[in-house]
Amino acid sequence: MIVEDRLYQHRAQPSWIDQFVLRGTGPGQALAPFGQVLAAAELLMVVADERAGLPRAPYDRVRVAGHQLEVLADFAQRLEGDFVQCLRTADALRGKDSDPSARARTLMSSLTGALEATATLGEICQALLEVADTLTVIARPKSRIEVVAAVEGIRGAASSALVTVHSNLGRITDVRIHDRLASRVAPVGQTLAYADAISRRIRESVAPESGSAALDPRMVGV
């Protein structure tokens, strides 16, 4: 019933800007990039708090990483606030009679602001991956799982951010803004490759050795 109510609200209140971005609310949008980044940062902070037993040097690096995560999460949250405000500005025009030229300028400004925030989120993804890489020194099984889950969330957010910006570049008529957005998301391809490398390294570190004994059927369900 809750899902149905949300679905109805989402369909009953269409917004012009929803054609171009993932708002992060409504059915099927739990994977919107800002939410993914914030969830990943929160998970990485949990990992950074579990540094007991590490040698001094790695311990200090992980402790610093925890502080970096707090800063990046705060930045991402404020950036999401800017993004949401751009959407609300566009929403405010819904159903209103106004000068067509002024309306067009406001809508374009809202879309441009949303894309600027999304492009910046791609840069945050890169910074978060660098911190996540630091946390791979923690060898606890659960920590490894959490790091991979966070890295995959960051990779998904970065990919969504890249597609969001690229899909809308053709609507940006200001050449300077167009080129700035294009240049800011250009490094996202490297970010995606970096995420893949971190996840692959962790997977390989925990992969069973070839020729290892098969699981004893008697242990299944224990």
Side-chain angles (χ1 to χ4, degrees):
M1 181 61 70
I2 293 176
V3 172
E4 291 178 355
D5 289 344
R6 288 177 177 171
L7 182 60
Y8 174 78
Q9 292 172 7
H10 187 65
R11 288 178 175 171
Q13 301 177 5
S15 177
W16 173 86
I17 203 166
D18 284 330
Q19 304 173 75
F20 312 115
V21 299
L22 282 178
R23 183 179 291 264
T25 58
Q29 297 203 51
L31 298 181
F34 285 93
Q36 282 187 294
V37 165
L38 290 170
E42 183 177 355
L43 188 55
L44 290 174
M45 282 190 274
V46 171
V47 177
D49 284 338
E50 299 174 351
R51 54 183 178 271
L54 288 175
R56 180 59 183 271
Y59 181 97
D60 288 341
R61 288 197 297 271
V62 172
R63 178 176 56 80
V64 171
H67 295 312
Q68 292 173 325
L69 287 167
E70 292 176 4
V71 172
L72 289 170
D74 181 67
F75 188 11
Q77 196 163 31
R78 287 187 284 115
L79 197 61
E80 184 185 32
D82 295 340
F83 175 82
V84 170
Q85 185 56 50
C86 290
L87 304 190
R88 288 175 177 169
T89 299
D91 291 345
L93 295 176
R94 185 169 44 199
K96 288 186 177 180
D97 292 328
S98 59
D99 176 68
S101 296
R103 179 185 179 88
R105 286 194 299 270
T106 299
L107 291 175
M108 183 53 61
S109 177
S110 297
L111 178 59
T112 300
L115 295 180
E116 292 273 13
T118 302
T120 304
L121 187 70
E123 297 171 355
I124 293 178
C125 287
Q126 175 67 27
L128 282 172
L129 287 177
E130 292 170 2
V131 178
D133 205 354
T134 301
L135 301 180
T136 57
V137 297
I138 302 176
R140 293 187 187 87
K142 185 178 180 182
S143 295
R144 285 173 166 170
I145 296 169
E146 290 169 334
V147 170
V148 168
V151 166
E152 291 301 318
I154 295 167
R155 186 184 65 80
S159 183
S160 296
L162 178 64
V163 172
T164 298
V165 174
H166 279 175
S167 296
N168 290 290
L169 279 178
R171 296 179 176 85
I172 306 301
T173 56
D174 187 307
V175 175
R176 291 173 300 177
I177 295 175
H178 177 285
D179 292 347
R180 182 171 70 244
L181 286 170
S183 65
R184 291 182 64 187
V185 295
V188 173
Q190 298 175 5
T191 299
L192 299 178
Y194 190 18
D196 289 338
I198 295 173
S199 291
R200 183 173 60 252
R201 194 185 328 134
I202 294 176
R203 291 195 304 268
E204 291 174 351
S205 72
V206 300
E209 295 182 4
S210 59
S212 58
L215 178 66
D216 188 336
R218 292 173 298 179
M219 296 298 293
V220 176
V222 174

